[in-house]
Amino acid sequence: MPPLKHYLPVLDWGRDYSRTALSNDLIAALIVTIMLIPQSLAYALLAGLPPEAGIYASIAPIILYALFGTSRALAVGPVAVVSLMTAAAIGQIAQQGTMGYGLAALTLAFLSGAILLVMGVFRLGFLANFLSHPVIAGFITASGILIAASQLKHVLGIPGDGDTLLETLHALALHLGQVKPVTLVIGIGATGFLFWVRKGLKPLLRRLGLGPRTADIITKAGPVFAVAVTTLAAWAMDLTERGVAVVGTVPQSLPPFTLPSFSPDLLGSLFIPALLISIIGFVESISVAQTLAAKKRQRIDPDQELIGLGAANLGAAFTGGYPVTGGFARSVVNFDAGAETPAAGAFTAIGLAIAAVALTPLVYFLPKATLAATIIVAVLGLVDFSILKRSWAYSRADFWAVATTIVVTLALGVEIGVSAGVILSIALHLYKTSRPHVAEVGLVPGSQHFRNVLRHRVETLPGVLTLRVDESLYFVNARFLEDLVLDRIARDPAIRHIVLMGSAINEIDFSALESLEALNRRLGEQGIGLHLSEVKGPVMDRLKTSHFLDELHGQVFLSQFDAWQALGGKQDRDRAAE
Amino acid sequence: MPPLKHYLPVLDWGRDYSRTALSNDLIAALIVTIMLIPQSLAYALLAGLPPEAGIYASIAPIILYALFGTSRALAVGPVAVVSLMTAAAIGQIAQQGTMGYGLAALTLAFLSGAILLVMGVFRLGFLANFLSHPVIAGFITASGILIAASQLKHVLGIPGDGDTLLETLHALALHLGQVKPVTLVIGIGATGFLFWVRKGLKPLLRRLGLGPRTADIITKAGPVFAVAVTTLAAWAMDLTERGVAVVGTVPQSLPPFTLPSFSPDLLGSLFIPALLISIIGFVESISVAQTLAAKKRQRIDPDQELIGLGAANLGAAFTGGYPVTGGFARSVVNFDAGAETPAAGAFTAIGLAIAAVALTPLVYFLPKATLAATIIVAVLGLVDFSILKRSWAYSRADFWAVATTIVVTLALGVEIGVSAGVILSIALHLYKTSRPHVAEVGLVPGSQHFRNVLRHRVETLPGVLTLRVDESLYFVNARFLEDLVLDRIARDPAIRHIVLMGSAINEIDFSALESLEALNRRLGEQGIGLHLSEVKGPVMDRLKTSHFLDELHGQVFLSQFDAWQALGGKQDRDRAAE
């Protein structure tokens, strides 16, 4: 059994916690706290929850992750894509603003936490690999567009909800006549300002002589500035009278103790969304954690990460939050601000708790349009269509997986979109393996190396057909080889020996074995030898448990060159005997 | 474009149709017709349809297959497994004996026909490969048990229907007190007789001096004899008065012209069952056709077979039938009786049409218990648990696929059973490829061949780690290799060069490429070379479209031996320079 500190990494880094580390962690925590306040409010808005849910979801989860997670810089809390998926999942079950909606959010976090913990305990982290890089890239891009579109209603001050891009745009179009001008000014002004902060402020600060890290951190504080200015404006000019929607009353309280629902009906209907949220959240989190760990030559343990994220989500479920994961923006700020250990996260949690108790009255006049602007600017940074071009250049199958994920996510929503991407990726892979590449090979002169006769100048033996099957033989392609060989010998009656070069055959399953047995019988009836060469150890071990090798009308050679020498020599003898 | 006769094989064999072929075909047709009359009635009973549906389903389909199919001996019509699946599919939609039930059967045949035709036109025959041999074997075995259990009600004369084995047995148990003794005598007598015919009659006939083929054909006529004797007994002794259920009035008519339903609701709810029936039926049919074709060195074209079976099912839909496919028993009798061309099928159809018009009054007194006995004896021949033992010995993954298919089919019904088998097979395959076998290889002394250092006595170069990855690199295992290599170099700081031997890497997809790029960067940072050897043509073609080869901190070698010489020589030079 691994030592306890394997499951509780805090025991590892906590032992030699130094004063330098403490002060670095405190500074990072302060910066992250300031950045997280508007971000947490905004993502709660995106998830359709009251603003405080975003802050609560950043407190307990961040502490629990600090105890159980393996990344030293990851900041756990609400993130854009998971907030969108939460809204999509709960929107089908309850009306926004009702008790049922909040309860469903807690239940979703509870289910996500349970799923992540189970995956961690059973070491199922590899399941995340089924989301290929192209599918994730496509999904994130499409989600970014959906999220940005979902925030337009706040910028315009009109209703405009929808699960899909078309629904959202249609709802907005229906109410275009009611656009609130002051809200629009705030929304567009904040969006424009934040885009400028992103693109123009950092070069400006660098020219003013600031270091790159400081410039970065100030840039990341842009939303805080936009929030402060628009809140002040709304308060001073009494803009709520002019139709500007504001955040309103946020309870001054530490995170409350809450209970998710254990109703089997609700758990059942939220299970698939929770599974998707867990896996997407895990993939997003681990890729951030690994990127940051690589910079400091630290290692991330994916299965322990599942446990850390699982604990964080359970924490969210019992403290008024909703599903959380490791976020890119907050983690990068944390890292850049110099966080050395997960204690920085704990200090951030304390900062947010103070904010929840003391600062919430200050956000009463914060316009929703400003929060929407921060979301729009953040998520448009996720939109990246270059994956379409890159995957098209490299592999059509990958391209179709990306394109399908993007189109289906936009057209039918996040859950169907990501599922379609995964299923299509698997289907395309299976399709490719169902029609494997098979090369007829010959000897590269002056070597013992065998290559494709169509690509290299090689020597072949008359009457001997050597085939290199470039795929494991399994049920999906079991009959393929049989049909191919029978076809070849029907077209070329001079063939007396077939050598199957097994260097690329990584498995022969039961269906393929039966097909090989049938092939061996058919070739035997026609007096043609079936030989094997370069069969791998694990494949040979398995063949030995069957009768195939006893019944084989031919030999098994260790290397293809041995086969060449034996069959070449045999032919010389045959010819001499004639 | 292929010639017309490719799509209409009748144009091929019809041209040189000889008198010998005609007389052989006529004899075979007579024998098959006699055997098919009770079998068709029995399978209609199994499908929950009126008895004449079984005869109608044997007439038009057999002619249409003769026109479009490629097998010369295949006899198309109702078969046991498809009849069971028909009952399971329609039972959820309509009550047996109602108009809706018959209409649903026609619609199911229509959908099956359409699906098969589409698959044939788009050359999707390979989809059948997703049903692995073990899954099919398990499914047929479990279906045999379900079918036999479903017929017990007729043998006992009590109600006893159910979609699953447990439901059926439970329904029977509830009515055990009402067993009809005379029915039971007929049922058990017929079953016992037919088992004896199967096991004992053939050896007896052989001892009496009959040839093996004649003995076989007489044996196959056993059911006809049982039908005749019990029908006569029921008529002479007025057994209907004693509670014996008989077939009753069967209309004297040629197959009627019927229309399937085109209601979108019905089509929608029958689509998945129709898809499963099409694929199972196709797999059963093609394996029979290929077995028989192999005996005469004929070839079967799977995609054309789809068209033949599709036409046959459409024929069934418009002539009062239900889903059909190529049946094992009827095809073997046809073959053994000497059928030379598909014309034998057409003659059989004429024989059955005559029977439908003239002979149906004769089956009025045919006891249903006798028909049930013929089904039970036929399907128990399909039950074969040896696949469990054989697959266990060869491959655990295959064993679990069989066992799951059997258990789920018995417990939850045919549709869920076969789906579970297919999904589990695919999942197990993906799981295996997610954790590929990786061998560290060295040079077999005196050769240029490289093998696993753990299995063979081989030589290795100091500081050079050569890994043969026994799997294509794709998203499911994309990070596996990266993690493995980084782990190895962390444990062994002496490694200066890593050679990836690509002989078993049949594909590198976009996700795996990104992972390789990351690996190359990480190794480059640590001054470790990453080299490739034996990369296959198609894989190299694709790598060349990316920047990976330009950025590679190492070389690409045609053969592993080239890599050995180059890196070995380099070391000598390095050592000399020190």
Side-chain angles (χ1 to χ4, degrees):
Chain A
M1 219 182 111
L4 184 60
K5 72 176 182 187
H6 179 83
Y7 294 108
L8 215 60
V10 61
L11 298 179
D12 191 13
W13 59 262
R15 226 174 26 184
D16 352 284
Y17 196 54
S18 68
R19 280 189 57 171
T20 337
L22 174 68
S23 80
N24 284 339
D25 283 348
L26 277 173
I27 293 168
L30 182 67
I31 293 168
V32 174
T33 304
I34 293 171
M35 174 198 138
L36 280 193
I37 296 173
Q39 202 187 80
S40 302
L41 299 172
Y43 287 150
L45 194 74
L46 169 57
L49 289 161
E52 64 271 22
I55 295 184
Y56 298 159
S58 302
I59 297 176
I62 221 169
I63 295 174
L64 286 161
Y65 180 82
L67 291 177
F68 294 101
T70 57
S71 165
R72 301 206 162 185
L74 195 71
V76 169
V79 305
V81 171
V82 168
S83 299
L84 173 73
M85 293 181 82
T86 299
I90 310 180
Q92 293 160 9
I93 288 171
Q95 197 70 29
Q96 273 193 25
T98 64
M99 284 278 289
Y101 195 89
L103 186 63
L106 297 174
T107 309
L108 198 62
F110 172 75
L111 269 174
S112 276
I115 290 170
L116 289 163
L117 273 184
V118 167
M119 284 174 66
V121 170
F122 290 100
R123 309 189 74 72
L124 301 179
F126 73 94
L127 282 180
N129 293 336
F130 282 86
L131 280 175
S132 69
H133 292 215
V135 168
I136 296 167
F139 179 71
I140 298 283
T141 287
S143 299
I145 296 172
L146 280 181
I147 294 170
S150 77
Q151 297 306 303
L152 288 178
K153 62 179 180 187
H154 296 298
V155 171
L156 301 170
I158 55 176
D161 275 325
D163 279 343
T164 69
L165 187 61
L166 219 62
E167 271 176 39
T168 308
L169 295 180
H170 184 240
L172 289 170
L174 286 181
H175 300 90
L176 264 189
Q178 307 154 31
V179 166
K180 304 224 170 60
V182 183
T183 306
L184 186 62
V185 168
I186 296 174
I188 293 204
T191 308
F193 169 73
L194 290 170
F195 267 118
W196 171 77
V197 164
R198 232 185 154 80
K199 304 276 170 198
L201 181 60
K202 199 170 147 187
L204 184 69
L205 293 172
R206 294 299 309 276
R207 278 201 299 278
L208 294 176
L210 272 71
R213 249 175 61 181
T214 322
D216 234 22
I217 290 169
I218 294 182
T219 308
K220 289 282 180 351
V224 178
F225 184 76
V227 163
V229 168
T230 55
T231 305
L232 272 174
W235 168 70
M237 296 192 260
D238 212 4
L239 295 182
T240 52
E241 296 297 304
R242 313 272 289 271
V244 173
V246 296
V247 166
T249 311
V250 177
Q252 280 182 273
S253 149
L254 285 174
F257 175 70
T258 52
L259 276 177
S261 161
F262 299 105
S263 128
D265 267 8
L266 189 61
L267 291 173
S269 59
L270 287 177
F271 182 78
I272 295 290
L275 183 69
L276 292 174
I277 287 175
S278 303
I279 293 182
I280 297 270
F282 173 61
V283 169
E284 178 168 354
S285 181
I286 196 118
S287 67
V288 177
Q290 268 162 340
T291 306
L292 299 181
K295 293 192 184 175
K296 292 203 171 177
R297 309 228 165 181
Q298 291 157 353
R299 294 280 288 167
I300 298 296
D301 173 359
D303 291 310
Q304 184 61 29
E305 280 300 284
L306 285 165
I307 291 176
L309 291 175
N313 274 288
L314 289 184
F318 289 98
T319 59
Y322 69 99
V324 294
T325 194
F328 182 71
R330 52 178 70 198
S331 302
V332 170
V333 171
N334 195 35
F335 183 86
D336 285 346
E340 288 204 8
T341 73
F347 301 143
T348 304
I350 295 172
L352 286 171
I354 295 171
V357 173
L359 306 182
T360 45
L362 299 183
V363 299
Y364 183 96
F365 283 102
L366 167 54
K368 287 188 175 175
T370 309
L371 290 180
T374 68
I375 295 179
I376 289 173
V377 175
V379 298
L380 287 184
L382 304 176
V383 175
D384 175 12
F385 284 105
S386 77
I387 182 71
L388 283 171
K389 203 179 137 201
R390 286 184 293 137
S391 60
W392 175 264
Y394 184 70
S395 141
R396 294 297 185 277
D398 282 303
F399 169 80
W400 288 115
V402 187
T404 303
T405 307
I406 294 179
V407 170
V408 177
T409 303
L410 292 178
L412 301 173
V414 282
E415 289 169 13
I416 302 179
V418 72
S419 308
V422 171
I423 291 170
L424 184 66
S425 304
I426 294 175
L428 286 173
H429 170 72
L430 293 175
Y431 177 74
K432 278 184 275 184
T433 64
S434 79
R435 307 185 166 195
H437 178 251
V438 177
E440 179 181 348
V441 296
L443 183 67
V444 177
S447 80
Q448 299 180 8
H449 188 56
F450 288 78
R451 294 303 277 239
N452 191 339
V453 297
L454 301 177
R455 287 175 177 264
H456 300 265
R457 290 191 62 176
V458 292
E459 295 167 5
T460 55
L461 291 173
V464 177
L465 174 65
T466 302
L467 295 176
R468 190 192 72 205
V469 185
D470 285 353
E471 195 56 64
S472 294
L473 300 177
Y474 76 116
F475 60 97
V476 165
N477 59 26
R479 298 196 56 90
F480 178 87
L481 180 65
E482 190 181 340
D483 289 345
L484 181 118
V485 170
L486 294 177
D487 212 55
R488 271 307 283 272
I489 59 168
R491 282 191 289 123
D492 184 354
I495 295 171
R496 307 315 312 153
H497 298 279
I498 306 249
V499 185
L500 285 187
M501 182 174 166
S503 51
I505 298 173
N506 305 311
E507 199 209 345
I508 296 178
D509 81 351
F510 196 75
S511 304
L513 176 70
E514 294 198 335
S515 183
L516 279 181
E517 286 172 344
L519 180 63
N520 179 48
R521 270 196 302 279
R522 297 282 288 279
L523 292 177
E525 286 163 15
Q526 304 188 30
I528 298 174
L530 177 64
H531 311 271
L532 306 177
S533 75
E534 309 206 358
V535 179
K536 299 181 187 193
V539 175
M540 187 54 99
D541 289 349
R542 186 157 285 174
L543 285 182
K544 282 181 183 156
T545 69
S546 76
H547 299 296
F548 178 64
L549 296 177
D550 311 329
E551 288 158 8
L552 190 68
H553 296 293
Q555 290 168 264
V556 178
F557 300 101
L558 182 68
S559 76
Q560 176 55 33
F561 190 68
D562 294 347
W564 170 275
Q565 286 183 312
L567 296 174
K570 196 174 210 168
Q571 287 191 325
D572 295 343
R573 287 194 302 280
D574 288 355
R575 228 169 288 142
E578 266 165 22
Chain B
M1 221 183 112
L4 184 60
K5 71 177 183 186
H6 179 82
Y7 294 108
L8 215 61
V10 60
L11 297 179
D12 191 14
W13 59 261
R15 225 176 24 185
D16 350 285
Y17 196 54
S18 68
R19 280 189 57 171
T20 338
L22 173 68
S23 80
N24 284 340
D25 283 348
L26 277 174
I27 293 168
L30 183 65
I31 293 168
V32 174
T33 304
I34 292 171
M35 175 197 136
L36 280 193
I37 295 173
Q39 202 187 82
S40 303
L41 300 173
Y43 287 149
L45 193 74
L46 170 58
L49 290 161
E52 64 270 22
I55 295 183
Y56 298 159
S58 303
I59 297 177
I62 222 169
I63 294 174
L64 286 161
Y65 179 82
L67 291 176
F68 294 102
T70 56
S71 164
R72 300 206 164 185
L74 195 73
V76 169
V79 305
V81 171
V82 168
S83 299
L84 173 73
M85 293 181 81
T86 299
I90 309 180
Q92 294 161 8
I93 288 171
Q95 196 72 30
Q96 273 194 25
T98 63
M99 282 281 289
Y101 195 91
L103 186 63
L106 297 174
T107 310
L108 197 62
F110 172 75
L111 268 174
S112 278
I115 291 170
L116 288 163
L117 274 184
V118 168
M119 284 174 67
V121 169
F122 289 100
R123 310 189 74 73
L124 301 179
F126 73 93
L127 283 180
N129 293 336
F130 283 85
L131 280 176
S132 70
H133 291 216
V135 168
I136 297 167
F139 179 70
I140 298 282
T141 287
S143 299
I145 296 172
L146 281 181
I147 294 170
S150 77
Q151 297 307 302
L152 288 177
K153 63 179 180 188
H154 296 299
V155 171
L156 301 170
I158 57 178
D161 275 324
D163 279 343
T164 70
L165 188 59
L166 219 63
E167 271 177 37
T168 308
L169 295 180
H170 183 241
L172 289 170
L174 286 181
H175 300 90
L176 264 190
Q178 306 155 28
V179 167
K180 303 223 170 62
V182 182
T183 305
L184 185 62
V185 167
I186 294 174
I188 294 206
T191 309
F193 169 74
L194 291 171
F195 267 119
W196 172 77
V197 164
R198 232 182 153 80
K199 303 277 171 198
L201 182 61
K202 200 170 149 189
L204 183 71
L205 293 172
R206 294 301 307 277
R207 279 201 300 279
L208 292 176
L210 271 71
R213 249 177 61 182
T214 321
D216 235 23
I217 289 169
I218 294 181
T219 307
K220 289 281 183 348
V224 178
F225 184 77
V227 162
V229 169
T230 55
T231 305
L232 273 174
W235 167 70
M237 296 192 261
D238 213 3
L239 295 182
T240 51
E241 297 295 306
R242 314 272 290 271
V244 172
V246 295
V247 166
T249 310
V250 178
Q252 278 182 274
S253 149
L254 285 175
F257 175 70
T258 53
L259 276 178
S261 161
F262 298 105
S263 128
D265 268 6
L266 189 61
L267 291 173
S269 59
L270 288 177
F271 182 78
I272 296 290
L275 183 69
L276 291 174
I277 287 176
S278 303
I279 293 182
I280 297 269
F282 174 59
V283 169
E284 179 169 351
S285 181
I286 197 117
S287 67
V288 176
Q290 268 162 339
T291 308
L292 299 181
K295 294 193 185 175
K296 291 203 172 175
R297 312 227 163 180
Q298 291 157 353
R299 296 280 289 166
I300 298 296
D301 172 0
D303 290 310
Q304 183 61 28
E305 281 300 285
L306 285 165
I307 292 176
L309 291 175
N313 274 289
L314 288 184
F318 289 98
T319 59
Y322 69 99
V324 294
T325 193
F328 182 70
R330 53 179 69 196
S331 301
V332 170
V333 170
N334 195 34
F335 183 85
D336 286 346
E340 288 204 10
T341 73
F347 300 144
T348 304
I350 295 172
L352 286 170
I354 295 171
V357 172
L359 306 182
T360 44
L362 297 183
V363 299
Y364 183 96
F365 282 102
L366 168 54
K368 286 186 175 177
T370 308
L371 290 180
T374 66
I375 294 179
I376 289 173
V377 175
V379 296
L380 287 184
L382 303 177
V383 175
D384 175 12
F385 283 105
S386 76
I387 182 72
L388 283 171
K389 204 179 135 200
R390 285 185 293 138
S391 60
W392 176 263
Y394 184 70
S395 142
R396 294 296 185 277
D398 282 303
F399 169 80
W400 288 114
V402 187
T404 303
T405 308
I406 293 179
V407 170
V408 177
T409 303
L410 291 178
L412 300 174
V414 283
E415 288 169 13
I416 303 179
V418 72
S419 309
V422 171
I423 291 169
L424 184 67
S425 304
I426 293 174
L428 286 173
H429 170 72
L430 294 175
Y431 177 74
K432 279 184 277 183
T433 63
S434 78
R435 307 185 166 196
H437 178 251
V438 176
E440 180 181 347
V441 297
L443 183 65
V444 177
S447 79
Q448 299 181 9
H449 189 55
F450 289 78
R451 294 305 274 244
N452 192 338
V453 297
L454 300 177
R455 289 176 176 264
H456 300 266
R457 291 191 62 177
V458 293
E459 296 166 5
T460 55
L461 291 174
V464 177
L465 174 64
T466 304
L467 295 176
R468 190 192 71 204
V469 185
D470 286 352
E471 195 57 65
S472 294
L473 299 177
Y474 75 116
F475 59 98
V476 165
N477 59 26
R479 297 196 55 90
F480 177 87
L481 180 66
E482 190 181 342
D483 290 344
L484 181 118
V485 171
L486 294 177
D487 212 56
R488 271 306 284 271
I489 58 168
R491 282 191 289 124
D492 184 354
I495 295 171
R496 305 315 313 151
H497 297 279
I498 305 246
V499 185
L500 285 187
M501 182 173 164
S503 51
I505 298 173
N506 305 311
E507 199 209 344
I508 296 178
D509 80 351
F510 195 77
S511 304
L513 175 70
E514 293 197 337
S515 183
L516 279 181
E517 286 171 344
L519 180 63
N520 179 49
R521 270 195 304 277
R522 297 282 287 278
L523 292 177
E525 285 163 15
Q526 305 187 30
I528 298 175
L530 177 64
H531 310 271
L532 306 177
S533 75
E534 309 207 355
V535 179
K536 299 180 188 195
V539 176
M540 189 52 101
D541 289 349
R542 185 158 286 175
L543 285 182
K544 282 181 183 157
T545 69
S546 76
H547 298 296
F548 178 64
L549 297 177
D550 311 329
E551 289 158 9
L552 191 68
H553 297 291
Q555 292 169 263
V556 179
F557 299 101
L558 182 68
S559 76
Q560 176 54 33
F561 190 69
D562 293 347
W564 170 275
Q565 286 183 310
L567 296 174
K570 197 175 210 166
Q571 286 191 324
D572 294 342
R573 287 193 303 278
D574 288 353
R575 228 169 286 145
E578 268 166 23

